[in-house]
Amino acid sequence: MKIVTIVLVVITLAFTVVQLYFINAQRNIETYPYAIKKKYKQFEIRSYESTLFTSVKLSTKGYKNSSSEGFAILAGYIFGNNEKNEKIAMTSPVSMSLEDSTTMMFMVPRKFNKDMLPKPNQSGIKFKEEPAKTVAAISFSGWANDAKIEKYKQHLKAALDAEGIKYSNRFYFFGYNAPYEVFNRKNEIIVEL
C-alpha cells in the first residue's frame, strides 16, 4: 500500500510540474494583437491589426472533423516541413473558420513577412493577410467541441442582437491551448462586425 501511495504522489507531482511548465510557456507565446474597444456583460468588442497567417482549407466541416487534420498540416510546416527545414515559433490562438468548409490558420510571428517565409512542402498551405477588423468575442473555458462551439456562437449572436449590434456571417473559433494543457484553458468565438 505504501508503494502505491508513493507512486501516486510522484505521478501527481510530475503532472503538476508539467502543467505549471505549460502555463508558464503559454505566457511566452506571441499572440494575435488586439485592442478592446468596449466590454459588455457577455462579450467584448475588439479591433485587430492587419496580420499575416499560414492557412489550410479543409474539405471537412466542424471542430471534431477538422481540428486534428488542420493542426497536423500547419504544425508540420512550422516544425520544419518546408523547403528550408526551418522551424517557426508557435503562436496563439489557433483560428478556425466556422463555415461550410473549415480553414485553419496559425498567425505568423511578427518578425516575418511573406517574402521571408520558407515555401511549404504541402501545396495546400497558403499565406493569408488578414486585414484589420473589428469583431465581437465571447470566451469559454475547458476543452472545445462542436456542441460548445455552437452553443457559444448562439450566445454571442443573441447577445449582439439584444444590443442591436449588426454582425457578419464570418464566425471563427479561437483556441489558445495545446491539447495536453489541463488548467486555464481558454477558447473564444469571434464574429466580424
Side-chain angles (χ1 to χ4, degrees), residues 12-113:
T12 302
L13 285 173
F15 174 79
T16 303
V17 167
V18 167
Q19 291 302 311
L20 290 172
Y21 170 79
F22 290 137
I23 289 169
N24 188 50
Q26 185 72 21
R27 291 185 190 127
N28 298 323
I29 292 177
E30 187 176 344
T31 59
Y32 192 6
Y34 65 87
I36 298 171
K37 295 180 86 169
K38 188 169 182 180
K39 285 190 173 209
Y40 292 84
K41 184 177 179 182
Q42 294 181 48
F43 66 97
E44 60 190 26
I45 305 295
R46 300 175 180 167
S47 92
Y48 281 91
E49 299 174 10
S50 174
T51 304
L52 182 62
F53 285 83
T54 56
S55 69
V56 62
K57 187 168 186 166
L58 305 164
S59 58
T60 54
K61 180 182 177 182
Y63 181 81
K64 181 178 180 183
N65 295 327
S66 304
S67 59
S68 294
E69 178 187 0
F71 190 89
I73 292 168
L74 293 177
Y77 170 73
I78 69 167
F79 295 150
N81 185 13
N82 54 62
E83 71 176 0
K84 295 181 182 176
N85 295 322
E86 183 179 345
K87 291 186 179 179
I88 300 166
M90 184 68 191
T91 58
S92 181
V94 172
S95 172
M96 291 177 65
S97 63
L98 301 177
E99 300 170 339
D100 289 337
S101 63
T102 300
T103 299
M104 180 174 275
M105 300 188 307
F106 286 7
M107 185 184 84
V108 173
R110 290 255 176 227
K111 70 179 186 177
F112 291 98
N113 64 44

